[in-house]
Amino acid sequence: MEATLTQKQGNVTIPMEFKNLLATLEGGIYTITINRPDKLNALNQETLREIKAAFEHVVANNDIKGVIVTGAGPKSFVAGADISEFAGLSAEGGRAFAASGQAIFKMIELCPKPVIAAVNGFALGGGCELAMACHMRIASENAKFGQPEVSLGLIPGYGGTQRLTMHIGRGRATELLMTGDIVNAADAYRVGLCNYLVKPEELIPKCQEILNRIFTKAPFAVAEIVKCVDAHYAEGVDGYQFEVDSFGRCCGTEDFAEGTGAFMEKRKPAFTGK
Ligand code: COA
């Protein structure tokens, strides 16, 4: 199935075609659905390239205010990197494979607009890594999370060893990584891997509700929050100093004047992103 969208570059609008993604834009929410349900939405290289293009589109298109990432069908968010592409990977090829995937997931993590993973089934291997690269994870009751790469003689390569440790702590992450165990949504929620646990029919509405609340806030400040949170984990960066500089940048915006002015005047702010 193919989805055609348009991508704005300056004043030029060019067609954008995806083979493995469905993409819709409604009410400022760009919903990216990984669409290989017969392969449980496994990420082959072509799909990864399309995800990269979709996120470049997110950054460039002012009509997009936030993103939901989900998987097609009721069974799977993403069941991992496409194992059929692993055959014959050399040590050097494996490094390149991991590095290119990591770069795409880092781009998602640093997206200046809010990105929520709507996890609707298996989030395994690269699927768990994709969900963890998003800013938040909302899990349906049928979600299952895990990093089973160790069963394939591998480790996660798209940031899983780092982000799982970041999200659920060293001891729990090490156990999941070493055992390859798959945990259900309730356990994932208990250890903080997902923000909310909802019924399947509430999954997308819950993501939309959170995004719509964020859309009432100042977009520049929201983008600065992405950078500040990342600074906490970035090597060699003083997160507190980064926050000081970021606070200063916010104070230089029109939206800061609007937000504080609106509070004093007891009215709702009308943010413009400037
Ligand atoms: N890569 C490639 N193909 C995958 C895949 C993956 N990561 N995960 C599932 N598929 C394919 C299966 O090969 C199968 O394809 P086929 O019908 O052409 O044979 C199809 O998706 C359905 O999967 P199936 O295994 O029949 O479903 P299931 O309900 O019995 O099992 C899982 C579901 C998720 C437990 C099982 O598919 C699985 O273990 N997948 C691999 C998970 C993994 O190791 N991910 C990390 C990869 S690094």
Side-chain angles (χ1 to χ4, degrees):
M1 211 179 293
E2 295 199 0
T4 305
L5 275 180
T6 55
Q7 182 179 29
K8 281 183 191 163
Q9 285 191 350
N11 292 328
V12 185
T13 298
I14 57 169
M16 196 170 167
E17 291 188 0
F18 297 124
K19 190 171 157 208
N20 305 294
L21 307 180
L22 298 172
T24 58
L25 176 58
E26 203 179 331
I29 299 176
Y30 190 57
T31 301
I32 299 170
T33 304
I34 317 298
N35 188 33
R36 300 182 73 214
D38 55 327
K39 296 291 175 194
L40 301 185
N41 306 318
L43 299 177
N44 58 7
Q45 290 300 302
E46 188 180 47
T47 306
L48 277 174
R49 282 194 294 274
E50 291 185 349
I51 291 172
K52 179 170 186 271
F55 272 90
E56 284 166 354
H57 179 61
V58 167
V59 174
N61 187 332
N62 291 336
D63 296 334
I64 297 175
K65 295 191 281 184
V67 182
I68 296 173
V69 179
T70 193
K75 195 171 165 182
S76 186
F77 173 71
V78 167
D82 191 320
I83 299 169
S84 70
E85 293 185 343
F86 285 6
L89 263 187
S90 64
E92 195 52 38
R95 283 174 61 91
F97 180 92
S100 69
Q102 277 197 15
I104 294 167
F105 284 14
K106 191 69 200 174
M107 187 183 143
I108 296 173
E109 190 169 55
L110 290 179
C111 180
K113 303 171 188 181
V115 183
I116 303 183
V119 183
N120 58 320
F122 290 115
L124 303 180
C128 190
E129 291 171 300
L130 174 63
M132 290 193 295
C134 296
H135 299 146
M136 295 164 230
R137 285 144 296 286
I138 316 300
S140 144
E141 284 169 346
N142 70 338
K144 290 188 170 60
F145 295 81
Q147 299 286 166
E149 289 88 345
V150 72
S151 311
L152 301 170
L154 280 173
I155 63 163
Y158 294 166
T161 60
Q162 305 304 295
R163 291 198 181 95
L164 192 63
T165 306
M166 178 175 91
H167 287 305
I168 68 173
R170 186 168 179 155
R172 286 187 174 118
T174 305
E175 180 185 346
L176 281 189
L177 292 162
M178 284 184 171
T179 61
D181 281 353
I182 293 171
V183 297
N184 64 27
D187 283 342
Y189 177 65
R190 186 174 51 78
V191 298
L193 190 49
C194 47
N195 298 51
Y196 296 95
L197 175 55
V198 298
K199 295 188 183 312
E201 64 274 18
E202 291 167 6
L203 182 61
I204 297 299
K206 181 67 185 174
C207 297
Q208 291 167 334
E209 181 251 316
I210 295 170
L211 286 175
N212 282 322
R213 275 192 290 129
I214 297 172
F215 294 168
T216 68
K217 313 301 180 191
F220 184 88
V222 167
E224 287 294 324
I225 286 166
V226 171
K227 290 192 252 177
C228 284
V229 170
D230 191 68
H232 176 76
Y233 300 98
E235 202 179 324
V237 177
D238 178 347
Y240 287 97
Q241 184 57 49
F242 194 94
E243 184 183 277
V244 163
D245 295 335
S246 179
F247 188 90
R249 283 194 291 273
C250 290
C251 290
T253 64
E254 290 177 17
D255 278 348
F256 164 65
E258 170 62 14
T260 47
F263 178 82
M264 299 308 287
E265 293 160 21
K266 300 190 185 304
R267 62 174 174 82
K268 280 193 174 161
F271 292 121
T272 61
K274 292 180 188 153

